[in-house]
Amino acid sequence: MRRYRIHSLISVILIIGIILTGCGGPISHTSEDYASGLRVHFIDVGQGDSTFIEFPNGKTSLIDAGTRGAGDRVVEYINDLGIDKIDYLIATHPHEDHIGGLPEVIRNFDVNRVYMPEKTTNTLIFEELLLELENKDLTIHLAKGGDVIIDGGKLKYSILAPNTDNYSGLNDFSIVTKIEYGYNSIIITGDAEKNSEREMVELGYDLAADVLRIGHHGGKTSSMEEFLIAVDPDYSIISVGKGNTYGHPHRETLNRLQKIDSQIMRTDELGDIILISDGKELKWEENLGAGDSIKGQYIGNQNTKVFHHMNCKSLPKEGNRIIFESIEEAKQRGYRPHKVCIKEGGN
Ligand SMILES: [Zn+2]
Ligand SMILES: [Zn+2]
């Protein structure tokens, strides 16, 4: 009965979203204030992805919020900036390492507009996200390539993908955004893979950018040669957790980035990475080791009483999960370690 109610709610929200979205939503025309500059924070959320943007016109945007365990850290990060509202919240695609922290974020901030791709899943975290949006009376705007969020002359925030609605994998539904400010530009790709990349190239979008937040944590089926040549980024940001068990970033991807002479910056090595632009030049700041305090590093299976590291490839189904802050906590609760992903005696 309960599931039925949630699923009808999902359809209602989606239908409302479709009705309200029309052809891309309102564009906010802004007065240009170059004094305050553009700041893009690639927040270190361990395995996952989260980007917070402070636009020179005073608006803000959050793209994803890492895993459920990273939600607190993203909230704290934005609070520490003295910011209490998110004008444009973007959930690139419904994978847990992107939307996991969003319910916590929505509970803590005033959110203005929400953008999601036209794609649903039936995971608990996705349903929780929809319920949280409903609690706050927020509608979902279905984003697609060509939509423009901000068009203020020298400041532009636009959407380059998704460009169709029937990809085989969830990752290719990722909302891809481009920020342009004066002479500087940044593309943020979520987990978009080669199908979406190829479409963006073929559709003739202006893909040239100084900075590329590369797709799918450096996985080998993203950042294909033709896309990288079109973007030709001076800098490539990879958002990836320490000791990642998916093998991200992939050697082949790193080789392709080296071939185009792009400087690689990784959150697992640099912590939070902050880009500042005055519309002419880019500056970087780093916040070393910032992601070490993420909660929920360990995930137990309530049926088998085995617990895993959050990066393990064989995590239990979401409905069976219990989250622990530490190995000690998991053991105290009677769980035993999964030998493949928990190396005891090490770090
Ligand atoms: Zn994904
Ligand atoms: Zn991901």
Side-chain angles (χ1 to χ4, degrees), residues 305-342:
K305 303 284 178 203
V306 170
F307 73 97
H308 306 256
H309 188 268
M310 63 190 257
N311 290 335
C312 182
K313 273 182 188 156
S314 42
L315 289 179
K317 286 213 302 237
E318 276 199 62
N320 297 335
R321 287 183 189 187
I322 174 169
I323 291 172
F324 302 114
E325 313 280 309
S326 65
I327 291 181
E328 292 70 44
E329 187 196 344
K331 285 186 171 170
Q332 273 164 18
R333 303 276 291 273
Y335 283 71
R336 60 199 161 74
H338 181 221
K339 290 212 176 66
V340 178
C341 64
I342 312 271

Side-chain angles (χ1 to χ4, degrees), residues 247-260:
H248 294 160
H250 199 277
R251 179 92 315 256
E252 288 174 25
T253 308
L254 296 176
N255 289 344
R256 287 196 290 268
L257 291 170
Q258 270 153 14
K259 240 170 99 180
I260 58 156

Side-chain angles (χ1 to χ4, degrees), residues 47-49 64 92-93 95-98 171 174 190-191 213 215-217 239 248:
Q47 168 56 31
D49 205 61
D64 295 336
T92 58
H93 68 299
H95 271 154
E96 205 263 345
D97 60 329
H98 294 252
N171 284 341
S174 290
D191 277 352
R213 217 294 288 146
H216 197 210
H217 322 281
S239 186
H248 294 160

Side-chain angles (χ1 to χ4, degrees), residues 24-35:
I27 295 170
S28 87
H29 290 274
T30 56
S31 63
E32 292 148 17
D33 175 11
Y34 287 88

Side-chain angles (χ1 to χ4, degrees), residues 217-234:
H217 322 281
K220 72 169 173 181
T221 47
S222 295
S223 313
M224 307 314 281
E225 198 174 5
E226 52 174 356
F227 184 70
L228 290 184
I229 287 169
V231 180
D232 195 18
D234 294 333

